Amino acid sequence: MYQIVIPVDEDETRAKNAAEFVAELIGESGLDVDPENITVSVVNVFKEFKAIDDGGNVKSKDLYDEDALPESMVTVRDLLDAAGVSVDLERRHGDPADEIIDYADSVDADTIVVPGRKRSPVGKAVFGSVTQDVILDSDRPVTIV
């Protein structure tokens, strides 16, 4: 089985771009793998935080609902389902880069496909912190789309 992990945030456009990239890669036989032997996991991480104000403490774990899937995950699932690709959805809570890497390790992913953001020329020189951390800290191949 060839395992692809696509981490997504709330941005549907970026998520859709990643799904279309994977669907085209599979459809054009860009992978030397039978499409029936490919599984894609779509991962969304609810970022851990703690806020303190006069009203008390608010912690992300109090707001986290593992069943509250962002629309971006549903979009990716629907696009890949239409392409005949098996899709799993995984929602996590914590540091996004750490959770993405931990999940990819747990499923022994062959690659991670990260949807990038549009950046200014200067911004292109440095990826976003989550993307950069995934690239630098993962032992797995990472593709930015």
Side-chain angles (χ1 to χ4, degrees), residues 73-143:
M73 291 183 82
V74 175
T75 297
V76 172
R77 182 196 61 206
D78 292 348
L79 282 167
L80 292 174
D81 276 346
V85 179
S86 176
V87 180
D88 298 319
L89 301 179
E90 177 75 15
R91 186 116 196 273
R92 291 185 161 214
H93 174 249
D95 176 76
D98 290 344
E99 291 296 327
I100 291 164
I101 293 167
D102 287 346
Y103 182 76
D105 289 345
S106 75
V107 296
D108 195 24
D110 293 285
T111 190
I112 303 170
V113 176
V114 180
R117 297 175 188 242
K118 288 192 176 191
R119 302 275 184 189
S120 68
V122 172
K124 288 179 184 177
V126 179
F127 291 108
S129 61
V130 172
T131 301
Q132 186 174 6
D133 288 348
V134 170
I135 292 169
L136 294 174
D137 296 338
S138 178
D139 295 332
R140 299 174 188 289
V142 178
T143 301

